[in-house]
Amino acid sequence: MIIRFKPGIKARELTGLRRKLTELLPGSDFVSGRGFVTVTASAPELLSEQLAAIENLPGIYSTDLSVREACPRVVKAAPPDLDALFKKPGRDNFIFIAGPCAVEDAASYLAAAKKLKAAGATALRAALFKPRTSPYAFQGVGVKGFGIIKKARRLTGLAAVTEATSELQLSAIKNACDIVQIGARNMRNYELLKAAAAVRLPVLLKRAPGATLKEWLLSAEYLLKYGNGEVILCERGDSFSKPDKRGLNLEILRAALKTTALPVIADPSHAAGDRFLVPAQALAAVKAGADGLMIEASLRPESALMDGRQTLNIRAFSELVKQIKKLRAM
Ligand code: PEP
Ligand code: MN
C-alpha cells in the first residue's frame, strides 16, 4: 500500500505519523519516499483491517491499496475443478452455460435443455427467482420450478446454475442445483455473499454494472473468506438497460484473468441486450481469453416471458458454439 502524506507536513508530525503507522501495522516493511511511504504488510488482511484508522490519521493525504492487496484470497485461489463441477471428464474445459432467461414451464424447459446439451451446452441456466426492475414484470416461477430443474439435470446430466436473490432460497437451491448465481444486482449484497459461501455450493458471481475490478473481486473475496473456494466470475457489461452503455467490459475481464486463477466467464446476452449482437460479443470475449460463456438460448425466444429479445434460438446457439470451438482450436 502506498500512503501519501499531506504536502508541507512538518518533520516532527511525520515522525509521529510513522510511529503510529508502525503501531497499526506491526511487523510490516516500510520504504520511505518523498512525501509517501510504501508498506508491505506482514499479513495481507492487516492493510484492509487498518485502512480506516490510517486514513483517519492527521497528516495523511491518501492511501492506495492495490487490488492484489485488497483481495489476497482471490489472488492466491486455486481454480475449482471444472471437470468435476460441470460433469464432463476429460473434455475441453470451456464452459457453455445456456438456457432461457427464466424457467417458464416444464415442457419447454426440458425440451430446450435436451437440445442445448446436444448443441454443446455444458451447464444449464435455470433461473427461478428473477430480480426485476419493475414489480409488475414476470418474477420467475419460484420454488415450484425446483422439480423442473431436478428433472432437467436427470435428463441431461448437465449442471444447473440458478440465481439466489435471497438467503432464504439457498438451502433449497443446494438440494436442487449445482451452482448458485449471485447476480449483478446482488454483487454488493454482502450478507447474501456470506450466506452463499456458508452453504458451500459453487458460486457464479456476476459483476455489477459500473463496479470496478476491485469491487467485483472484493465480493469474490467475501465468498472465499467465508468458506467457499469454488467461485466463477462472470462479466456481464455495464448497463441494465441503457443502449449507449451496452457491451461487455473486456478490459475488466482481462484484468480479472490476470489477477486470479479463478475462472472468468462472460455473459454476452445481458451485455448486448439484443440477440443480433450476442455472437460478436461472445466471440470478442473468447478472443479476450474468457474461460466460458453464459448465454440465453431457448426453443422459442420470440414468445419468452422475459429477455426474449436477447435470447438465441437453438440453431443460433449451436452455430455460435461451432464458431467458438473453431476459434479456440486455431
Ligand atoms: C441473469 O443472468 O439472469 C441476470 C439477471 O443477469 P444479471 O444479474 O447479469 O443482470
Ligand atoms: Mn435475462
Side-chain angles (χ1 to χ4, degrees), residues 101 125 127 130-131 163 181 183-185 206 236 240 267 270 294 296:
C101 180
R125 274 186 61 91
K130 297 304 305 179
E163 178 164 356
Q181 176 172 327
R185 287 163 184 81
K206 292 225 181 163
R236 54 79 75 215
F240 284 123
D267 172 350
H270 290 92
M294 169 177 260
E296 289 185 334

Side-chain angles (χ1 to χ4, degrees), residues 69-128:
E69 288 168 321
C71 307
R73 288 179 165 83
V74 167
V75 167
K76 277 203 234 107
D81 180 353
L82 295 183
D83 266 1
L85 205 54
F86 292 97
K87 308 171 192 162
K88 45 167 198 165
R91 292 236 310 271
D92 176 12
N93 254 349
F94 196 77
I95 304 162
F96 282 107
I97 305 169
C101 180
V103 174
E104 295 181 8
D105 61 82
S108 70
Y109 187 73
L110 297 176
K114 268 205 283 194
K115 294 205 164 159
L116 288 167
K117 181 182 182 179
T122 46
L124 296 169
R125 274 186 61 91
L128 305 180

Side-chain angles (χ1 to χ4, degrees), residues 117-141:
K117 181 182 182 179
T122 46
L124 296 169
R125 274 186 61 91
L128 305 180
F129 309 100
K130 297 304 305 179
R132 304 306 304 278
T133 305
S134 167
Y136 303 108
F138 175 59
Q139 304 285 307
V141 296

Side-chain angles (χ1 to χ4, degrees), residues 45 70-75 205 216-226:
E45 296 85 352
C71 307
R73 288 179 165 83
V74 167
V75 167
L205 175 66
W216 185 23
L217 297 188
L218 277 169
S219 291
E221 187 78 7
Y222 261 95
L223 294 167
L224 298 174
K225 173 168 173 9
Y226 282 88

Side-chain angles (χ1 to χ4, degrees), residues 29-113:
D29 272 349
F30 296 86
V31 179
S32 290
R34 215 183 207 310
F36 68 92
V37 64
T38 304
V39 188
T40 308
S42 48
E45 296 85 352
L46 193 58
L47 295 172
S48 299
E49 284 162 11
Q50 300 292 33
L51 192 58
I54 294 167
E55 284 173 337
N56 203 22
L57 292 172
I60 297 292
Y61 173 70
S62 68
T63 55
D64 185 354
L65 185 70
S66 71
V67 175
R68 300 182 69 83
E69 288 168 321
C71 307
R73 288 179 165 83
V74 167
V75 167
K76 277 203 234 107
D81 180 353
L82 295 183
D83 266 1
L85 205 54
F86 292 97
K87 308 171 192 162
K88 45 167 198 165
R91 292 236 310 271
D92 176 12
N93 254 349
F94 196 77
I95 304 162
F96 282 107
I97 305 169
C101 180
V103 174
E104 295 181 8
D105 61 82
S108 70
Y109 187 73
L110 297 176

Side-chain angles (χ1 to χ4, degrees), residues 13-311:
E13 273 182 279
L14 202 54
T15 313
L17 248 183
R18 290 214 168 99
R19 200 189 56 241
K20 201 86 191 110
L21 287 173
T22 335
E23 276 166 29
L24 288 170
L25 303 166
S28 302
D29 272 349
F30 296 86
V31 179
S32 290
R34 215 183 207 310
F36 68 92
V37 64
T38 304
V39 188
T40 308
S42 48
E45 296 85 352
L46 193 58
L47 295 172
S48 299
E49 284 162 11
Q50 300 292 33
L51 192 58
I54 294 167
E55 284 173 337
N56 203 22
L57 292 172
I60 297 292
Y61 173 70
S62 68
T63 55
D64 185 354
L65 185 70
S66 71
V67 175
R68 300 182 69 83
E69 288 168 321
C71 307
R73 288 179 165 83
V74 167
V75 167
K76 277 203 234 107
D81 180 353
L82 295 183
D83 266 1
L85 205 54
F86 292 97
K87 308 171 192 162
K88 45 167 198 165
R91 292 236 310 271
D92 176 12
N93 254 349
F94 196 77
I95 304 162
F96 282 107
I97 305 169
C101 180
V103 174
E104 295 181 8
D105 61 82
S108 70
Y109 187 73
L110 297 176
K114 268 205 283 194
K115 294 205 164 159
L116 288 167
K117 181 182 182 179
T122 46
L124 296 169
R125 274 186 61 91
L128 305 180
F129 309 100
K130 297 304 305 179
R132 304 306 304 278
T133 305
S134 167
Y136 303 108
F138 175 59
Q139 304 285 307
V141 296
V143 290
K144 64 178 189 284
F146 281 121
I148 305 176
I149 297 180
K150 282 187 183 163
K151 271 192 201 142
R153 287 166 83 213
R154 272 202 304 273
L155 196 68
T156 62
L158 295 180
V161 183
T162 202
E163 178 164 356
T165 54
S166 153
E167 53 189 278
L168 300 176
Q169 300 151 357
L170 288 168
S171 63
I173 290 177
K174 169 110 180 165
N175 271 331
C177 303
D178 304 88
I179 297 167
V180 61
Q181 176 172 327
I182 304 286
R185 287 163 184 81
N186 279 308
M187 185 205 89
R188 296 188 181 91
N189 184 340
Y190 304 114
E191 293 309 315
L192 182 59
L193 291 169
K194 289 183 206 172
V199 299
R200 298 288 201 281
L201 254 183
V203 176
L204 185 147
L205 175 66
K206 292 225 181 163
R207 184 177 69 86
T212 61
L213 177 72
K214 197 197 264 187
E215 290 166 333
W216 185 23
L217 297 188
L218 277 169
S219 291
E221 187 78 7
Y222 261 95
L223 294 167
L224 298 174
K225 173 168 173 9
Y226 282 88
N228 190 340
E230 296 196 295
V231 178
I232 299 166
L233 296 159
C234 181
E235 157 55 22
R236 54 79 75 215
D238 281 307
S239 170
F240 284 123
S241 56
K242 288 192 192 119
D244 60 334
K245 294 252 167 47
R246 288 253 159 90
L248 290 166
N249 189 329
L250 296 178
E251 206 177 320
I252 284 198
L253 182 141
R254 297 269 312 145
L257 283 165
K258 283 183 202 157
T259 310
T260 179
L262 295 172
V264 185
I265 71 166
D267 172 350
S269 306
H270 290 92
D274 177 334
R275 75 173 72 97
F276 293 100
L277 303 177
V278 168
Q281 286 279 297
L283 292 165
V286 174
K287 286 182 193 159
D291 296 305
L293 293 166
M294 169 177 260
I295 296 179
E296 289 185 334
S298 71
L299 281 185
R300 273 177 295 282
E302 62 286 355
S303 56
L305 292 178
M306 63 179 298
D307 284 356
R309 245 171 64 93
Q310 68 199 32
T311 302

